[in-house]
C-alpha cells in the first residue's frame, strides 16, 4: 500500500488543518509568487518529508526569536548530570535537564515538561500536553514524573520513563537497545548511532534518511530480538516519534534552511556522541543543545496533526510499521494481530492510512492497552484522549481485546 499522491495526503489532512495559523494561508494567497511556489513544492514533495510543504508552506526565519541561548552566562549553560541526577531514554528531555530548562535532577511536573518542550524546541502545546500527562499517568505520580528510572522517595514516585516498557517506551528505537534483548532500554549505543549516520550519507540527517533507518531497525529487531514487540500505541505512535523528533526538533534553522538542517555535528551534540564516523563513542546522559542553535519557526509548532501526517507518510512508505504484533520467543517469528479483532471491529488495517484513522486508533489505545494501569490516575489521559478523539471526529473505541496481545512474550513479560 503506497501513499504517495498529494491529493490523498491533502484529503487525509483537511480536517486537521484547522489547527494551522490561517494568516499563513492568507499571506501565501495574497502573494502570487509565494502561492505559486508553495503549490509547486506541494506537487513535487512526496515521501517521508512531504508534510513539511503542507505545514510550513511559507519559509519563515527570525533569528532573534528562534535563537536558543545556552552560552556562558545565559543561565542555561550545559552542566553534566551529577550522580543523583536522573537521565533516561529520551535525549531531548535529558538535554533540557542538562541545560536547566527542566529541573537538573530529572524529575519534573507536567507543567514544567510542557513549558520546556513548547519553548525550547517548538513542540505544539496539545502534543506537549498529551505526552506530558501520559508520562505522569503511566510513569509518575499523576502530576510529575521521572525522565529516567525510579526516583528516590524523597524526590517523587512512579517508575519513570525507563520503567515504562510497552506503556511508553518501545522497541526498535533509533539509538537505544530493546529492553529484553540488552537488559536496558535507555543507554545510547554508539553502533546504532553509527548506523543512523551510515543511513544518512552526505553530511546531513533528513526525514527520508531517518525513515529508511527506522525500516532497517524495525527489520533488524524482528530478525534478532526474540521478544520484539510492536504495540498498538508504543509501536504505532511512540516509535515514529523517536525518529521524527530527531529531525523536527533537533535540526538547526536558518534563513537558507528555514525548515531545518541537521548536520552530523548538531545531532552528535544532541545525542552526546564524541569522535568521528567509524570511531563514535557515547557519553551516557550528557546530551546537550548545541551552541549557536536556532529552533523551528515560532509560527510552525510541531503539533499533533503535523506529527500524525509524518506518521502516515512513513507508514505509506513502509506499511510494516503498522503491523501490531511481535515475535513469539524466537527470532524472525513476527506474527501480527488483526486490528479488526483487537478493536472490536472499529478499525481495519486496510483503512488505517485513511482520514484520521491512524491517530484515532493509536491515541485511543494509549489509555487502554495495559491492564496494570491505575484507572484513577489515567482519568486526565482519558479526558485528553476524549478531546483528541472529538477533534479528529474519531469512531469511538469501546474496548481493546488485550488477550490478543498476550500471545507475545515481549508483551507479557
Ligand atoms: C514531554 C515530552 C516528551 C516525552 C514524554 C518523551 C518521551 C520519550 C520516550 C518514552 C522515549 C523512548 C521511546 C523509545 O523507546 O523509543 C523517547 C525517545 C526519544 N525522544 Fe522523547 N519525549 C519527549 C520530548 C522529546 C523532545 C522535545 C525531543 C527532542 C528534542 C525528543 C526526542 C526523542 C528522541 C530522538 C528519542 C529516541 C531516542 C533514541 O532511541 O535514539 N523527545 N522520548
Ligand atoms: C545554525 O545555522 C546558522 C546559519 O547557517 C549558523 O550560523 C549556526 O552556526 C548553525 N548552528 C549550528 C549549531 O550548527
Amino acid at each position: 500500500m503506497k501513499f504517495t499522491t498529494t491529493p490523498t495526503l491533502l484529503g487525509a489532512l483537511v480536517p486537521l488543518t484547522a489547527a494551522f495559523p490561517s494568516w499563513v494561508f492568507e499571506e501565501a494567497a495574497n502573494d502570487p509568487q509565494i502561492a505559486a511556489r508553495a503549490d509547486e513544492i506541494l506537487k513535487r514533495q512526496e515521501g517521508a518529508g512531504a508534510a513539511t510543504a503542507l505545514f510550513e508552506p511559507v519559509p519563515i526565519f527570525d533569528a532573534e526569536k528562534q535563537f536558543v541561548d545556552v552560552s556562558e552566562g545565559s543561565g542555561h549553560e550545559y552542566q553534566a548530570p551529577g550522580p543523583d541526577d536522573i537521565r533516561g531514554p529520551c535525549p531531548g528531555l535529558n538535554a533540557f535537564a542538562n541545560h536547566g530548562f527542566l529541573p537538573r535532577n530529572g524529575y519534573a511536573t507536567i507543567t514544567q515538561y510542557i513549558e520546556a518542550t513548547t519553548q525550547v524546541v517548538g513542540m505544539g502545546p496539545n502534543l506537549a500536553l498529551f505526552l506530558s500527562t501520559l508520562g505522569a499517568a503511566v510513569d509518575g505520580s499523576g502530576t510529575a514524573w521521572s525522565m529516567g528510572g525510579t526516583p528516590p522517595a524523597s524526590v517523587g514516585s512512579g517508575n519513570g520513563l525507563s520503567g515504562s516498557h510497552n506503556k511508553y517506551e518501545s522497541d526498535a528505537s533509533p539509538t537505544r537497545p530493546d529492553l529484553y534483548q540488552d537488559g536496558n532500554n535507555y543507554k545510547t549505543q554508539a553502533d546504532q548511532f553509527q548506523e543512523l549516520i551510515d543511513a544518512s550519507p552526505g553530511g546531513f540527517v533528513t526525514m527520508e534518511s531517518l525513515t529508511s533507518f527506522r525500516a532497517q531497525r524495525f527489520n533488524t529487531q524482528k530478525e534478532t530480538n526474540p521478544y520484539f514487540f510492536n504495540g498498538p500505541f508504543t509501536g504505532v505512535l511512540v516509535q515514529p516519534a523517536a525518529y521524527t523528533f530527531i529531525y523536527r526538533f533537533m535540526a538547526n534553522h536558518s534563513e537558507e534552511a528555514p525548515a531545518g538542517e541537521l548536520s552530523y555535528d548538531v545531532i552528535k551534540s544532541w545525542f552526546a556522541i564524541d569522535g568521528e564516523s567509524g570511531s563514535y563513542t557515547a557519553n551516557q546522559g550528557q546530551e546537550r543543545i548545541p551552541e549557536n542553535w536556532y529552533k523551528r519557526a515560532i509560527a510552525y509548532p510541531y503539533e499533533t496533526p503535523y506529527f500524525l501526517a509524518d506518521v502516515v507518510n512513513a507508514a505509506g512508505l513502509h506499511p510494516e510499521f503498522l503491523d501490531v504484533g511481535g515475535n513469539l520467543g524466537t527470532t524472525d517469528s513476527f506474527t501480527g494481530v488483526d486490528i479488526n479483532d483487537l478493536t472490536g471491529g472499529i478499525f481495519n488495517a486496510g483503512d488505517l492510512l485513511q482520514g484520521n484513522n491512524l491517530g484515532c486508533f493509536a491515541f485511543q489505545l494509549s489509555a487502554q492497552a495495559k491492564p496494570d494501569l491505575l484507572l484513577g490516575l489515567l482519568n486526565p489521559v482519558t479526558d485528553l484522549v476524549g478531546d483528541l478523539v472529538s477533534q479528529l471526529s474519531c469512531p469511538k473505541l469501546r474496548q481493546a481485546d488485550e488477550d490478543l496481545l498476550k500471545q507475545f512474550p515481549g508483551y507479557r513479560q
Side-chain angles (χ1 to χ4, degrees):
M1 186 179 9
K2 288 278 172 205
F3 188 76
T4 45
T5 59
T6 307
T8 320
L9 174 65
L10 281 174
L13 295 171
V14 163
L16 301 175
T17 47
F20 202 80
S22 59
W23 64 264
V24 171
F25 288 121
E26 278 156 30
E27 196 161 299
N30 290 336
D31 182 331
Q33 243 176 335
I34 292 180
R37 195 159 143 253
D39 203 42
E40 186 158 300
I41 297 174
L42 212 57
K43 283 205 189 92
R44 211 178 49 231
Q45 277 234 5
E46 286 184 350
T52 311
L54 188 65
F55 288 92
E56 304 185 45
V58 184
I60 295 175
F61 180 70
D62 182 328
E64 209 177 306
K65 289 195 181 130
Q66 290 174 236
F67 180 56
V68 175
D69 192 356
V70 293
S71 64
E72 265 325 295
S74 63
H76 290 290
E77 40 288 89
Y78 171 81
Q79 211 177 289
D84 295 332
D85 294 334
I86 302 168
R87 298 292 181 267
C90 178
L93 300 179
N94 289 354
F96 292 173
N98 291 337
H99 287 276
F101 288 110
L102 284 172
R104 292 190 189 261
N105 70 358
Y107 188 85
T109 65
I110 294 177
T111 313
Q112 288 171 325
Y113 283 113
I114 295 173
E115 265 173 32
T117 51
T118 53
Q119 286 168 23
V120 183
V121 294
M123 186 182 284
N126 294 322
L127 184 57
L129 176 68
F130 176 78
L131 295 180
S132 309
T133 309
L134 188 64
V138 302
D139 309 330
S141 71
T143 55
W145 46 278
S146 146
M147 65 179 69
T150 308
S154 57
V155 171
S157 60
N159 294 325
L161 278 192
S162 306
S164 70
H165 186 59
N166 286 343
K167 296 182 214 163
Y168 221 148
E169 197 280 323
S170 68
D171 281 346
S173 314
T175 72
R176 270 57 168 180
D178 285 4
L179 180 61
Y180 297 130
Q181 192 175 25
D182 277 57
N184 86 81
N185 55 7
Y186 56 88
K187 285 189 184 159
T188 311
Q189 304 297 299
D191 58 337
Q192 285 175 222
F193 186 83
Q194 180 72 54
E195 287 164 16
L196 188 164
I197 295 298
D198 292 345
S200 314
F204 296 94
V205 175
T206 64
M207 283 296 285
E208 284 72 20
S209 76
L210 288 166
T211 306
S212 7
F213 175 54
R214 181 178 162 208
Q216 182 189 324
R217 289 275 309 130
F218 194 90
N219 208 31
T220 305
Q221 293 319 95
K222 267 188 194 169
E223 285 170 359
T224 62
N225 176 4
Y227 306 109
F228 175 69
F229 178 66
N230 200 49
F233 171 66
T234 51
V236 173
L237 274 195
V238 181
Q239 183 193 96
Y243 290 83
T244 73
F245 283 15
I246 296 177
Y247 176 77
R248 298 294 185 201
F249 289 139
M250 296 178 174
N252 183 37
H253 297 74
S254 63
E255 199 75 54
E256 308 83 62
E261 196 166 66
L262 185 54
S263 68
Y264 295 170
D265 280 345
V266 169
I267 191 177
K268 276 168 60 184
S269 168
W270 276 104
F271 277 87
I273 298 285
D274 276 340
E276 293 310 312
S277 184
S279 57
Y280 286 133
T281 53
N283 303 298
Q284 304 305 328
Q286 300 185 28
E287 291 90 344
R288 62 197 287 174
I289 300 172
E291 295 268 336
N292 220 353
W293 181 82
Y294 297 82
K295 66 179 163 185
R296 41 188 310 112
I298 311 293
Y300 297 141
Y302 194 54
E303 190 46 286
T304 316
Y306 197 162
F307 169 56
L308 287 178
D310 278 342
V311 178
V312 166
N313 276 322
L317 294 167
H318 299 281
E320 70 273 20
F321 290 160
L322 299 183
D323 293 342
V324 171
N327 279 344
L328 297 171
T330 53
T331 57
D332 232 344
S333 57
F334 191 90
T335 306
V337 300
D338 187 332
I339 300 284
N340 199 43
D341 293 343
L342 181 69
T343 62
I346 302 287
F347 293 100
N348 261 302
D351 304 336
L352 275 189
L353 289 184
Q354 272 156 31
N356 298 325
N357 286 346
L358 185 72
C360 289
F361 167 75
F363 277 120
Q364 293 188 81
L365 263 295
S366 70
Q368 297 216 5
K370 216 42 197 183
D372 60 336
L373 291 176
L374 294 171
L375 280 171
L377 289 182
L378 260 191
N379 275 340
V381 175
T382 316
D383 289 351
L384 280 177
V385 169
D387 289 349
L388 275 163
V389 163
S390 56
Q391 276 163 32
L392 300 177
S393 311
C394 293
K396 285 236 168 55
L397 182 66
R398 277 188 184 74
Q399 214 184 340
D401 185 354
E402 205 233 332
D403 282 347
L404 287 175
L405 304 178
K406 287 190 179 147
Q407 62 181 304
F408 304 109
Y411 176 77
R412 274 199 316 263
Q413 286 194 32

